[in-house]
Coordinates of all heavy atoms in Angstrom, one line a residue:
M1 N 192.1 233.0 113.2 CA 190.9 233.2 114.0 C 189.8 232.2 113.6 O 189.6 231.9 112.5 CB 190.4 234.7 113.8 CG 189.3 235.0 114.8 SD 188.7 236.7 114.5 CE 189.8 237.6 115.7
K2 N 189.1 231.7 114.7 CA 188.0 230.7 114.4 C 186.9 231.4 113.7 O 186.6 232.5 113.9 CB 187.5 230.1 115.6 CG 188.5 229.2 116.4 CD 187.9 228.7 117.7 CE 189.0 227.8 118.4 NZ 188.7 227.6 119.7
K3 N 186.2 230.6 112.8 CA 185.1 231.1 112.1 C 183.9 231.2 113.0 O 183.7 230.3 113.9 CB 184.8 230.3 110.9 CG 185.7 230.5 109.8 CD 185.3 229.9 108.5 CE 186.3 230.2 107.3 NZ 186.3 229.4 106.2
V4 N 183.0 232.2 112.9 CA 181.8 232.3 113.7 C 180.8 232.0 112.8 O 180.5 232.6 111.8 CB 181.8 233.8 114.3 CG1 180.5 233.9 115.1 CG2 183.0 234.0 115.2
V5 N 179.8 231.1 113.2 CA 178.6 230.8 112.6 C 177.5 231.0 113.6 O 177.6 230.4 114.7 CB 178.5 229.4 112.0 CG1 177.3 229.0 111.3 CG2 179.8 229.2 111.0
I6 N 176.4 231.7 113.1 CA 175.3 231.9 113.9 C 174.0 231.3 113.3 O 173.8 231.5 112.1 CB 175.0 233.3 114.4 CG1 173.8 233.6 115.2 CG2 175.1 234.3 113.1 CD1 173.6 234.9 115.8
Y7 N 173.4 230.3 113.9 CA 172.1 229.8 113.4 C 171.0 230.4 113.9 O 170.9 230.7 115.1 CB 172.1 228.2 113.7 CG 173.2 227.5 113.2 CD1 174.4 227.4 113.8 CD2 173.0 226.9 112.0 CE1 175.5 226.6 113.2 CE2 174.0 226.0 111.3 CZ 175.3 226.1 112.0 OH 176.2 225.3 111.3
T8 N 170.1 230.9 113.0 CA 169.0 231.8 113.3 C 167.7 231.3 112.8 O 167.7 230.3 112.0 CB 169.3 233.1 112.8 OG1 169.3 233.1 111.4 CG2 170.5 233.8 113.4
T9 N 166.5 232.0 113.1 CA 165.4 231.9 112.6 C 164.8 233.3 112.4 O 165.3 234.2 112.9 CB 164.3 231.1 113.3 OG1 164.1 231.7 114.6 CG2 164.6 229.6 113.6
T10 N 163.8 233.3 111.4 CA 163.2 234.7 111.2 C 162.4 235.1 112.5 O 161.9 234.3 113.3 CB 162.3 234.7 109.9 OG1 161.4 233.6 110.0 CG2 163.1 234.7 108.7
Y11 N 162.1 236.3 112.6 CA 161.3 236.8 113.7 C 161.9 236.3 115.1 O 161.1 236.1 116.0 CB 159.9 236.5 113.6 CG 159.3 236.8 112.3 CD1 158.9 235.8 111.4 CD2 159.2 238.1 111.9 CE1 158.4 236.1 110.2 CE2 158.7 238.4 110.6 CZ 158.2 237.3 109.8 OH 157.8 237.7 108.5
C12 N 163.2 236.5 115.3 CA 163.9 236.0 116.4 C 164.7 237.3 117.1 O 165.7 237.5 116.5 CB 164.8 234.9 116.2 SG 166.0 234.5 117.5
G13 N 164.2 237.8 118.1 CA 164.8 239.0 118.7 C 166.1 238.6 119.2 O 167.0 239.4 119.1
Y14 N 166.4 237.5 119.9 CA 167.7 237.1 120.5 C 168.6 237.0 119.2 O 169.9 237.2 119.4 CB 167.5 235.9 121.2 CG 166.9 236.0 122.6 CD1 165.7 235.6 122.9 CD2 167.6 236.7 123.6 CE1 165.1 235.7 124.2 CE2 167.2 236.9 124.9 CZ 165.8 236.4 125.2 OH 165.2 236.6 126.4
C15 N 168.1 236.4 118.1 CA 169.0 236.3 116.9 C 169.5 237.7 116.4 O 170.7 237.9 116.3 CB 168.4 235.6 115.8 SG 167.7 234.0 116.2
T16 N 168.6 238.7 116.5 CA 169.0 240.0 116.0 C 170.0 240.5 116.9 O 171.0 241.3 116.5 CB 167.7 240.9 115.9 OG1 166.8 240.2 114.9 CG2 168.1 242.3 115.4
A17 N 169.7 240.4 118.3 CA 170.6 241.1 119.2 C 171.9 240.4 119.1 O 173.0 241.1 119.2 CB 169.9 240.8 120.6
A18 N 172.0 239.1 119.0 CA 173.3 238.4 118.9 C 174.2 238.9 117.6 O 175.3 239.2 117.8 CB 173.2 237.0 118.8
K19 N 173.4 239.1 116.6 CA 174.2 239.5 115.3 C 174.6 241.0 115.5 O 175.7 241.4 115.2 CB 173.2 239.4 114.2 CG 173.0 238.1 113.6 CD 172.2 238.0 112.4 CE 170.7 238.2 112.5 NZ 169.9 238.2 111.3
K20 N 173.8 241.8 116.2 CA 174.2 243.3 116.4 C 175.4 243.3 117.4 O 176.4 244.1 117.1 CB 173.0 244.0 117.2 CG 172.0 244.5 116.1 CD 171.1 245.6 116.7 CE 170.1 246.0 115.7 NZ 168.9 246.5 116.3
L21 N 175.4 242.4 118.3 CA 176.5 242.3 119.3 C 177.8 242.0 118.6 O 178.9 242.6 118.8 CB 176.1 241.5 120.5 CG 177.2 241.3 121.6 CD1 177.6 242.7 122.1 CD2 176.7 240.5 122.7
L22 N 177.7 240.9 117.8 CA 178.9 240.6 117.0 C 179.3 241.6 116.1 O 180.7 241.8 116.0 CB 178.6 239.3 116.1 CG 178.5 237.9 116.8 CD1 178.0 236.8 116.1 CD2 179.8 237.5 117.5
E23 N 178.4 242.2 115.4 CA 178.8 243.4 114.5 C 179.5 244.6 115.4 O 180.5 245.1 115.0 CB 177.6 244.0 113.8 CG 177.2 243.2 112.6 CD 175.8 243.3 112.2 OE1 175.1 244.3 112.6 OE2 175.3 242.7 111.2
K24 N 179.0 244.8 116.5 CA 179.5 245.8 117.3 C 181.0 245.5 117.8 O 181.7 246.5 117.9 CB 178.7 246.1 118.6 CG 178.9 247.3 119.4 CD 177.9 247.5 120.4 CE 178.3 248.6 121.4 NZ 177.6 248.5 122.7
Q25 N 181.2 244.3 118.0 CA 182.5 243.8 118.4 C 183.5 243.6 117.1 O 184.6 243.3 117.3 CB 182.4 242.4 119.1 CG 181.6 242.5 120.4 CD 182.2 243.4 121.4 OE1 183.4 243.5 121.6 NE2 181.3 244.3 121.9
G26 N 183.0 243.9 115.9 CA 183.7 243.9 114.8 C 184.1 242.3 114.3 O 185.1 242.2 113.6
I27 N 183.2 241.4 114.7 CA 183.5 240.1 114.5 C 182.7 239.6 113.2 O 181.5 239.7 113.3 CB 183.1 239.2 115.7 CG1 183.9 239.6 116.9 CG2 183.4 237.7 115.3 CD1 185.4 239.5 116.8
A28 N 183.3 239.2 112.1 CA 182.6 238.7 111.1 C 182.0 237.4 111.2 O 182.6 236.6 112.0 CB 183.6 238.5 109.8
F29 N 180.9 237.1 110.8 CA 180.2 235.8 110.9 C 179.5 235.4 109.8 O 179.0 236.2 108.9 CB 179.2 235.9 112.2 CG 178.2 237.0 112.1 CD1 177.0 236.6 111.5 CD2 178.4 238.3 112.5 CE1 176.0 237.7 111.3 CE2 177.4 239.3 112.4 CZ 176.2 238.9 111.8
T30 N 179.1 234.1 109.8 CA 178.1 233.6 108.7 C 176.9 233.3 109.3 O 176.9 232.7 110.5 CB 178.8 232.3 108.1 OG1 180.1 232.6 107.5 CG2 178.0 231.8 107.1
E31 N 175.8 233.5 108.7 CA 174.4 233.2 109.4 C 173.9 232.1 108.5 O 173.8 232.2 107.2 CB 173.5 234.5 109.3 CG 172.2 234.3 109.8 CD 171.3 235.5 109.8 OE1 171.7 236.6 109.3 OE2 170.1 235.3 110.2
T32 N 173.2 231.1 109.3 CA 172.4 230.0 108.6 C 171.1 230.2 109.1 O 170.8 229.9 110.3 CB 173.1 228.7 108.8 OG1 174.5 228.8 108.3 CG2 172.3 227.6 108.2
D33 N 170.1 230.5 108.3 CA 168.7 230.6 108.8 C 168.2 229.2 108.8 O 168.1 228.5 107.7 CB 167.9 231.5 107.9 CG 166.5 231.7 108.3 OD1 166.0 230.9 108.9 OD2 166.1 232.8 108.0
V34 N 167.7 228.6 109.8 CA 167.2 227.2 109.9 C 165.6 227.2 110.0 O 165.1 226.1 110.4 CB 167.8 226.4 111.0 CG1 169.3 226.3 110.9 CG2 167.6 227.1 112.4
T35 N 165.0 228.3 109.8 CA 163.5 228.4 109.9 C 162.8 227.3 109.3 O 162.0 226.7 109.9 CB 163.0 229.8 109.5 OG1 163.8 230.9 110.0 CG2 161.5 230.0 109.8
T36 N 163.2 226.9 108.0 CA 162.5 225.9 107.3 C 163.2 224.6 107.1 O 162.9 223.8 106.2 CB 161.9 226.5 105.9 OG1 163.2 227.0 105.3 CG2 161.1 227.6 106.2
D37 N 164.4 224.5 107.8 CA 165.2 223.4 107.5 C 165.3 222.5 108.6 O 165.9 222.6 109.6 CB 166.7 223.9 107.2 CG 167.6 222.8 106.7 OD1 167.4 221.7 106.9 OD2 168.7 223.2 106.2
D38 N 164.4 221.6 108.6 CA 164.1 220.5 109.7 C 165.3 219.7 110.1 O 165.7 219.5 111.2 CB 162.9 219.7 109.5 CG 161.6 220.5 109.6 OD1 161.5 221.6 110.2 OD2 160.5 219.9 109.2
S39 N 166.0 219.3 109.0 CA 167.1 218.4 109.3 C 168.4 219.2 109.9 O 169.0 218.7 110.8 CB 167.6 217.7 107.9 OG 168.0 218.6 107.0
K40 N 168.5 220.4 109.5 CA 169.5 221.3 110.1 C 169.2 221.6 111.4 O 170.0 221.6 112.4 CB 169.7 222.5 109.3 CG 171.0 223.2 109.5 CD 172.1 222.6 108.8 CE 173.5 223.3 109.0 NZ 174.5 222.5 108.6
R41 N 168.0 221.8 111.8 CA 167.4 222.1 113.1 C 167.7 220.8 114.1 O 168.2 221.0 115.2 CB 166.0 222.4 113.0 CG 165.5 223.1 114.3 CD 165.3 224.7 114.0 NE 165.1 225.3 115.2 CZ 164.1 226.1 115.5 NH1 163.3 226.4 114.5 NH2 163.9 226.7 116.6
T42 N 167.4 219.7 113.5 CA 167.6 218.4 114.4 C 169.2 218.3 114.6 O 169.6 218.0 115.7 CB 167.2 217.2 113.5 OG1 165.8 217.4 113.3 CG2 167.4 216.0 114.3
W43 N 170.0 218.6 113.6 CA 171.4 218.5 113.8 C 171.8 219.5 114.9 O 172.7 219.2 115.7 CB 172.2 218.8 112.5 CG 173.6 219.0 112.5 CD1 174.6 217.9 112.4 CD2 174.4 220.2 112.8 NE1 175.8 218.5 112.6 CE2 175.7 219.9 112.8 CE3 173.9 221.6 112.9 CZ2 176.7 220.8 112.9 CZ3 174.9 222.5 113.1 CH2 176.2 222.1 113.0
L44 N 171.3 220.6 114.9 CA 171.7 221.7 115.8 C 171.4 221.3 117.2 O 172.2 221.6 118.1 CB 170.9 223.0 115.4 CG 171.5 224.4 115.9 CD1 172.9 224.7 115.4 CD2 170.5 225.5 115.3
V45 N 170.2 220.7 117.4 CA 169.8 220.3 118.8 C 170.7 219.2 119.2 O 171.2 219.2 120.4 CB 168.4 219.7 118.8 CG1 168.1 219.1 120.1 CG2 167.4 220.9 118.4
E46 N 171.1 218.3 118.3 CA 172.1 217.2 118.7 C 173.4 217.8 119.0 O 174.1 217.4 119.9 CB 172.3 216.2 117.5 CG 171.1 215.3 117.2 CD 171.2 214.7 115.8 OE1 172.2 214.8 115.1 OE2 170.3 213.9 115.6
Q47 N 173.9 218.9 118.3 CA 175.2 219.5 118.5 C 175.3 220.3 119.8 O 176.3 220.3 120.5 CB 175.6 220.4 117.3 CG 175.8 219.7 116.1 CD 177.1 218.8 116.1 OE1 178.2 219.3 116.6 NE2 176.9 217.6 115.7
T48 N 174.0 221.0 120.1 CA 174.1 221.9 121.2 C 173.4 221.4 122.5 O 173.6 222.0 123.5 CB 173.5 223.3 120.8 OG1 172.1 223.0 120.4 CG2 174.2 223.8 119.6
G49 N 172.4 220.6 122.3 CA 171.6 220.2 123.5 C 170.6 221.2 123.7 O 169.9 221.1 124.8
Q50 N 170.4 222.2 122.9 CA 169.6 223.3 123.1 C 168.5 223.4 121.9 O 168.8 223.1 120.9 CB 170.2 224.6 123.1 CG 171.4 224.7 124.1 CD 170.8 224.8 125.6 OE1 169.8 225.3 125.8 NE2 171.5 224.1 126.3
R51 N 167.3 223.8 122.3 CA 166.2 223.9 121.3 C 166.0 225.4 120.9 O 165.2 225.6 119.9 CB 165.0 223.3 121.8 CG 165.0 221.8 122.0 CD 163.7 221.1 122.3 NE 163.9 219.7 122.2 CZ 163.9 219.0 121.1 NH1 163.7 219.5 120.0 NH2 164.2 217.7 121.2
T52 N 166.7 226.3 121.6 CA 166.4 227.6 121.2 C 167.5 228.2 120.2 O 168.4 227.5 119.9 CB 166.6 228.6 122.4 OG1 167.9 228.4 123.1 CG2 165.5 228.3 123.5
V53 N 167.1 229.3 119.5 CA 167.9 230.1 118.6 C 168.1 231.4 119.2 O 167.2 231.9 119.8 CB 167.3 230.1 117.2 CG1 167.6 228.8 116.5 CG2 165.9 230.5 117.1
P54 N 169.2 232.1 119.0 CA 170.3 231.6 118.2 C 171.1 230.6 118.8 O 171.1 230.4 120.0 CB 171.1 232.9 117.9 CG 170.9 233.6 119.1 CD 169.4 233.3 119.6
Q55 N 171.9 229.9 118.0 CA 173.0 229.0 118.5 C 174.3 229.5 117.8 O 174.3 229.7 116.6 CB 172.7 227.6 118.2 CG 171.6 227.0 119.1 CD 171.9 227.1 120.6 OE1 173.0 227.1 121.1 NE2 170.9 227.4 121.4
I56 N 175.3 229.8 118.5 CA 176.5 230.4 117.9 C 177.7 229.4 118.0 O 177.8 228.8 119.1 CB 176.8 231.7 118.6 CG1 175.7 232.7 118.6 CG2 178.1 232.4 118.2 CD1 175.6 233.7 119.7
F57 N 178.4 229.3 117.0 CA 179.6 228.4 117.1 C 180.9 229.2 116.8 O 180.9 230.1 116.0 CB 179.5 227.2 116.0 CG 178.5 226.1 116.2 CD1 177.3 226.4 116.4 CD2 179.0 224.8 116.3 CE1 176.4 225.5 116.6 CE2 178.1 223.9 116.6 CZ 176.7 224.1 116.7
F58 N 181.9 228.9 117.6 CA 183.2 229.4 117.3 C 184.0 228.2 116.8 O 184.3 227.3 117.6 CB 183.9 229.9 118.6 CG 183.3 231.2 119.2 CD1 183.8 231.8 120.4 CD2 182.4 231.9 118.5 CE1 183.2 232.8 120.9 CE2 181.8 233.1 118.9 CZ 182.2 233.5 120.3
G59 N 184.3 228.1 115.6 CA 184.8 227.0 115.0 C 183.8 225.9 115.0 O 182.6 226.1 114.8
D60 N 184.3 224.7 115.6 CA 183.4 223.6 115.8 C 182.7 223.6 117.1 O 181.9 222.7 117.4 CB 184.1 222.2 115.6 CG 184.6 222.0 114.3 OD1 184.1 222.6 113.2 OD2 185.6 221.4 114.1
T61 N 182.9 224.6 117.9 CA 182.5 224.6 119.3 C 181.2 225.4 119.5 O 181.3 226.6 119.1 CB 183.5 225.1 120.3 OG1 184.9 224.4 120.0 CG2 183.2 224.9 121.7
P62 N 180.1 224.9 120.0 CA 178.9 225.7 120.2 C 179.2 226.4 121.6 O 179.5 225.8 122.6 CB 177.7 224.6 120.4 CG 178.4 223.3 120.6 CD 179.9 223.3 120.1
I63 N 178.9 227.8 121.5 CA 179.2 228.6 122.7 C 177.8 228.9 123.4 O 177.9 229.5 124.5 CB 180.1 229.8 122.4 CG1 179.4 230.7 121.4 CG2 181.5 229.3 122.0 CD1 178.8 231.9 122.1
G64 N 176.6 228.7 122.7 CA 175.4 229.0 123.5 C 174.7 230.0 122.4 O 174.9 230.1 121.3
G65 N 173.8 230.9 123.1 CA 173.0 231.7 122.4 C 173.5 233.2 122.8 O 174.5 233.4 123.2
F66 N 172.5 234.2 122.7 CA 172.8 235.5 123.0 C 173.3 235.7 124.4 O 174.2 236.5 124.5 CB 171.5 236.4 122.8 CG 171.6 237.8 123.2 CD1 172.5 238.6 122.5 CD2 171.1 238.3 124.3 CE1 172.8 240.0 123.0 CE2 171.2 239.5 124.8 CZ 171.9 240.4 124.0
S67 N 172.7 235.1 125.4 CA 173.1 235.4 126.8 C 174.6 234.8 127.0 O 175.3 235.7 127.6 CB 172.3 234.5 127.7 OG 170.9 234.7 127.4
E68 N 174.9 233.7 126.4 CA 176.4 233.3 126.5 C 177.3 234.2 125.9 O 178.3 234.5 126.4 CB 176.4 231.9 126.2 CG 175.7 230.9 127.0 CD 174.2 230.7 126.8 OE1 173.7 231.3 125.8 OE2 173.6 230.0 127.7
L69 N 176.8 234.7 124.6 CA 177.8 235.6 123.9 C 177.9 236.9 124.7 O 179.1 237.4 124.9 CB 177.1 235.8 122.5 CG 177.9 236.9 121.6 CD1 179.3 236.3 121.4 CD2 177.1 237.2 120.4
S70 N 176.8 237.4 125.3 CA 176.9 238.6 126.1 C 177.9 238.4 127.2 O 178.7 239.4 127.5 CB 175.6 239.1 126.7 OG 174.7 239.3 125.6
E71 N 177.8 237.3 127.9 CA 178.7 237.1 129.1 C 180.1 237.0 128.6 O 181.1 237.7 129.3 CB 178.3 235.8 129.8 CG 178.7 235.7 131.1 CD 178.2 234.4 131.8 OE1 177.1 234.0 131.6 OE2 179.0 233.8 132.5
I72 N 180.3 236.4 127.5 CA 181.7 236.3 126.9 C 182.3 237.7 126.7 O 183.4 238.0 127.0 CB 181.8 235.4 125.6 CG1 181.6 233.9 126.1 CG2 183.1 235.6 124.8 CD1 181.4 233.0 124.8
V73 N 181.4 238.6 126.0 CA 181.8 239.9 125.7 C 182.1 240.7 127.0 O 183.2 241.4 127.1 CB 180.8 240.6 124.8 CG1 181.2 242.1 124.7 CG2 180.7 239.9 123.5
S74 N 181.1 240.6 128.0 CA 181.3 241.3 129.2 C 182.6 240.9 130.0 O 183.3 241.7 130.5 CB 180.2 241.1 130.1 OG 179.0 241.5 129.6
N75 N 183.0 239.7 129.8 CA 184.1 239.1 130.5 C 185.5 239.3 129.7 O 186.5 238.9 130.1 CB 183.9 237.7 130.9 CG 182.9 237.4 131.9 OD1 182.6 238.3 132.8 ND2 182.3 236.3 131.9
N76 N 185.2 240.0 128.6 CA 186.4 240.3 127.8 C 187.1 239.1 127.2 O 188.3 239.0 127.1 CB 187.4 241.2 128.6 CG 187.4 242.6 128.0 OD1 187.3 242.9 126.8 ND2 187.7 243.6 128.8
K77 N 186.3 238.0 127.0 CA 187.0 236.7 126.6 C 186.8 236.5 125.1 O 187.1 235.5 124.6 CB 186.3 235.6 127.4 CG 186.8 235.7 128.9 CD 186.5 234.5 129.5 CE 187.1 234.5 131.0 NZ 186.5 233.6 131.9
L78 N 186.2 237.4 124.4 CA 185.8 237.1 123.0 C 187.1 236.8 122.1 O 187.1 235.8 121.4 CB 185.0 238.3 122.4 CG 184.4 238.0 121.1 CD1 183.4 236.8 120.9 CD2 183.6 239.3 120.6
L79 N 188.0 237.7 122.2 CA 189.1 237.5 121.3 C 189.9 236.3 121.6 O 190.4 235.6 120.7 CB 190.0 238.8 121.2 CG 189.3 239.9 120.3 CD1 190.2 241.1 120.4 CD2 189.0 239.5 118.9
S80 N 190.0 236.1 122.9 CA 190.9 234.9 123.4 C 190.2 233.6 123.0 O 190.8 232.7 122.5 CB 191.2 235.0 124.9 OG 190.1 234.9 125.6
L81 N 188.9 233.5 123.1 CA 188.2 232.3 122.7 C 188.3 232.2 121.2 O 188.4 231.0 120.6 CB 186.7 232.3 123.1 CG 186.4 232.1 124.5 CD1 185.0 232.4 124.9 CD2 186.8 230.6 124.8
L82 N 188.3 233.2 120.4 CA 188.3 233.1 118.9 C 189.8 232.8 118.4 O 189.9 232.2 117.4 CB 187.8 234.3 118.3 CG 186.2 234.5 118.3 CD1 185.9 235.9 117.8 CD2 185.5 233.5 117.6
N83 N 190.8 233.1 119.3 CA 192.1 232.9 118.8 C 192.8 231.7 119.5 O 194.0 231.5 119.2 CB 192.9 234.2 119.1 CG 192.6 235.3 118.2 OD1 192.5 235.1 117.0 ND2 192.3 236.6 118.7
T84 N 192.1 231.0 120.2 CA 192.7 229.7 120.8 C 192.1 228.5 120.1 O 191.0 228.4 119.6 CB 192.5 229.6 122.2 OG1 191.0 229.8 122.5 CG2 193.3 230.6 123.0
Ligands
GSH101 N1 168.7 232.5 126.5 C1 168.6 232.3 125.1 C2 167.1 232.6 124.8 C3 166.8 232.3 123.2 C4 165.3 232.3 123.0 O1 164.5 232.4 123.8 N2 165.1 232.3 121.7 C5 163.7 232.1 121.2 C6 163.5 232.8 119.8 S1 164.1 234.5 119.8 C7 163.4 230.6 121.0 O2 164.2 229.9 120.5 N3 162.2 230.2 121.4 C8 161.7 229.0 121.2 C9 161.8 228.1 122.3 O3 162.0 228.7 123.4 O4 161.7 226.9 122.3 C10 169.6 233.2 124.4 O5 170.0 234.1 125.0 O6 169.9 233.0 123.2

């Protein structure tokens, strides 16, 4: 199964919601808080093309933020994406 990494900042409601959703689905993840890490934040924007957090990766692939994760869960695609 691909590793799940979620990049977050403090005081971020969407980050909390995304983590709760992953937990509810029973998916283990690693969290990286980029609140004070400017170089990591720059890297994240380069990788994802997005300036918002959270940003979630399945393996090396950025899948988006909370909205995209919710859609994946709603469409029942979470396990297949993590296992391919
Ligand atoms: N559609 C995004 C929204 C994420 C979002 O708005 N995050 C806020 C923090 S909770 C943010 O990054 N705001 C800064 C900005 O919009 O530049 C998602 O579902 O993840």
Side-chain angles (χ1 to χ4, degrees):
M1 188 177 269
K2 288 176 185 163
K3 288 191 175 165
V4 177
V5 180
I6 178 167
Y7 293 88
T8 62
T9 58
T10 47
Y11 309 114
C12 166
Y14 284 106
C15 301
T16 305
K19 288 188 286 181
K20 277 192 180 158
L21 183 52
L22 286 169
E23 281 164 6
K24 196 175 165 195
Q25 299 298 313
I27 303 298
F29 60 88
T30 302
E31 178 178 4
T32 301
D33 186 332
V34 297
T35 306
T36 58
D37 190 340
D38 288 344
S39 60
K40 198 76 180 173
R41 198 99 193 234
T42 301
W43 174 86
L44 201 52
V45 172
E46 287 167 3
Q47 293 293 310
T48 65
Q50 303 293 323
R51 295 194 170 273
T52 56
V53 283
Q55 291 299 325
I56 303 161
F57 284 64
F58 290 175
D60 292 332
T61 306
I63 61 101
F66 171 71
S67 307
E68 290 77 13
L69 178 65
S70 295
E71 200 175 323
I72 287 167
V73 170
S74 298
N75 292 335
N76 250 327
K77 291 194 170 155
L78 187 56
L79 286 181
S80 63
L81 282 174
L82 286 173
N83 284 314
T84 50

